[in-house]
Amino acid sequence: MDSAFGSLFRSTFFAAHPLLLSCFFFTSFASIHVYNREPFIDVGNSYLLSGGSEGIVASLPASVSPSERNSIHNGRAYIRFENITFWRTRTAAKRGTGPVHVIIFEAADRDNIGGSAYGGQRAICCTADLAKIEGCKQGEILRRPSATNINWPIILDVRFKGKSKTTSLDSKGVTIKKTGMYNLFFVACDPNLKDMFMSGKTIWKNPDGYLPGRMAPLKKFYVFMTLAYVCLSIVWFLQYWRFWNDVLQLQHCVTAIIALGLFEMFLWYLDYVNFNNTGMRPVAVTTLVVTVGAIRKAISRLLILCVSMGYGVVRPTLGGLTSKVLLLGFAYFLASELLNITEYVGTINDVSGRARLLLVLPDAFLDAFLILWIFTSLSRTLEQLQAKRSSVKLDIYRKFSNALAVTVISSVAWIGYEVYFKATDPFNERWQSAWIITAFWDILAFGLLCVICYLWAPSQSSQRYAYSEEVGEGLDDEEAQALTKGKHEGQGGELSMVKQEKNVGRDAQFDEDDESEEEEDKRE
């Protein structure tokens, strides 16, 4: 069961989140948390303000050289307070108030804050009944020592002097000696501090920099992903340049997706390096990264849809479906862009469940619609290729459909795992492995892209995959290869005779096929 502070932490964390976002219009801070006249929220018998939640790795025991002590890579991990100032109302200053409590605790110790008397409502501040049971002082935080360190959770008291309306917390740091998910709350138990607000900032640092612990592995991950895209780009562009005269429209699209993917992975790496070195994420940089990612995702899905519909293979154009396909791609771009901006740009902590759900639903709906349309079109294309006995194209499309099926099954399975992972870890205690959730989708997309590159790699026989109105889709593979080979060798005379003989018997069939495709486009 959730502890008193556990349930309160979850509700106030989500409630405070939008308030903390308000000060991040131009620059977003993550490991540097900035508070700009933030109000306290009434929760139970206390007033709370969430100061942040991050995974922090323990400070390294090894000593560092004097030259490295001021470096961000000095092996020290801490939470430091700077310019923390509290304001109370004039009425509260006249009456006099109790202290403001600053609580730092590890997620595993959440049960050690607060309590419940006789099974009633759980509270953070000590009540008269809890004072009798727990021996705490009424009006102060109920705290029990951690099983691993009696000095934790840490509570710092900040008191107002006389009738002053303001008070400040001295700049100080709390060294982190144990790896864990740490939470910071500012709590007031005195009812007279109801309308209090606070400004200042806290700096959260890991041994190797300001990057939050749950994001740190992603910096190395995007190095490997960038190298993977570089290798794929080298292989693809060599073939692309070598067989430039035989390149298909489809292969131009694949080239654009590879370039966007490489650019996106490199930008993610730069974003995390800057984040780690400065503790800040400029909105412009992060927005550029997520926009490039949204464009890549939208184009990739449209490419798969067009290939599944047989564009350039069994039909020269999309006909009346072109506008619908482009509209769907634009809608998906907008949905993906909004979700990624909300998730990555200007956020301190995780987006609340309800807020993220509202943005995930359109993205998920469009993905499901695309999958349905893709497999419906792919089934129709396979039937057409089988009827026309185009065994080379049929073999490629069967491999492509198998790859898509594996991708969809893997995606559904991973979504189920992701839901289970988050549902069983409400306080992010498994933060050290949370990066895998994000990394999987990039790996899956790269794997499918590699399959497409393999199936439609540029070569001197690329034209075998293309739609040809003159040669006709009914030719068997040996004739098609002979025609292609003959064209390169300059044997035009004999081939023209063959084409004329074949076309005489198939002109009527071509007309029927074209008419049926036009009618099908109008219906769709």
Side-chain angles (χ1 to χ4, degrees), residues 329-524:
F330 182 71
Y332 185 86
F333 165 75
L334 287 181
S336 180
E337 177 80 348
L338 289 174
L339 176 62
N340 290 335
I341 284 179
T342 305
E343 191 166 1
Y344 293 106
V345 178
T347 57
I348 297 180
N349 301 293
D350 291 335
V351 180
S352 68
R354 291 180 182 178
R356 192 174 190 279
L357 180 62
L358 293 176
L359 295 169
V360 166
L361 285 178
D363 192 76
F365 173 78
L366 289 172
D367 257 333
F369 183 77
L370 272 166
I371 291 171
L372 180 62
W373 196 357
I374 286 170
F375 277 98
T376 301
S377 301
L378 189 58
S379 176
R380 187 179 300 125
T381 301
L382 287 171
E383 290 177 359
Q384 292 177 6
L385 291 174
Q386 192 169 8
K388 295 176 180 179
R389 300 190 299 275
S390 300
S391 60
V392 172
K393 298 177 183 178
L394 184 61
D395 181 60
I396 291 175
Y397 266 81
R398 281 175 176 169
K399 292 177 180 178
F400 177 62
S401 62
N402 291 337
L404 279 182
V406 171
T407 302
V408 171
I409 293 172
S410 300
S411 300
V412 172
W414 193 256
I415 290 173
Y417 172 74
E418 185 176 350
V419 172
Y420 168 79
F421 183 91
K422 293 183 178 180
T424 56
D425 187 31
F427 301 106
N428 298 319
E429 293 179 87
R430 296 200 296 269
W431 56 274
Q432 288 176 296
S433 58
W435 68 276
I436 301 175
I437 300 295
T438 300
F440 173 83
W441 298 110
D442 290 318
I443 294 173
L444 187 65
F446 180 76
L448 183 59
L449 180 60
C450 287
V451 171
I452 293 175
C453 290
Y454 171 75
L455 294 177
W456 279 278
S459 66
Q460 65 181 8
S461 59
S462 292
Q463 296 300 325
R464 285 191 300 158
Y465 313 140
Y467 175 87
S468 175
E469 187 176 358
E470 293 182 0
V471 176
E473 298 296 326
L475 290 176
D476 58 36
D477 299 327
E478 292 182 358
E479 290 175 336
Q481 293 178 33
L483 285 172
T484 306
K485 182 177 180 181
K487 186 182 295 183
H488 287 288
E489 294 177 356
Q491 299 174 356
E494 295 180 2
L495 291 175
S496 298
M497 295 296 295
V498 173
K499 288 162 63 177
Q500 290 175 6
E501 292 176 0
K502 294 291 182 180
N503 287 336
V504 167
R506 290 187 170 88
D507 284 344
Q509 181 65 34
F510 290 155
D511 293 338
E512 293 178 2
D513 290 344
D514 291 340
E515 290 176 1
S516 62
E517 288 180 359
E518 291 178 0
E519 292 177 0
E520 180 183 344
D521 290 343
K522 293 178 180 179
R523 289 196 301 270
E524 295 183 358

Side-chain angles (χ1 to χ4, degrees), residues 23 25 35 106 143 172 174 184 194 212 220 369 493 500:
C23 62
F25 184 77
Y35 322 102
E106 188 185 355
R143 170 193 177 275
K172 61 175 63 179
V174 177
L184 169 64
K194 177 180 180 181
K220 294 181 179 179
F369 183 77
Q500 290 175 6

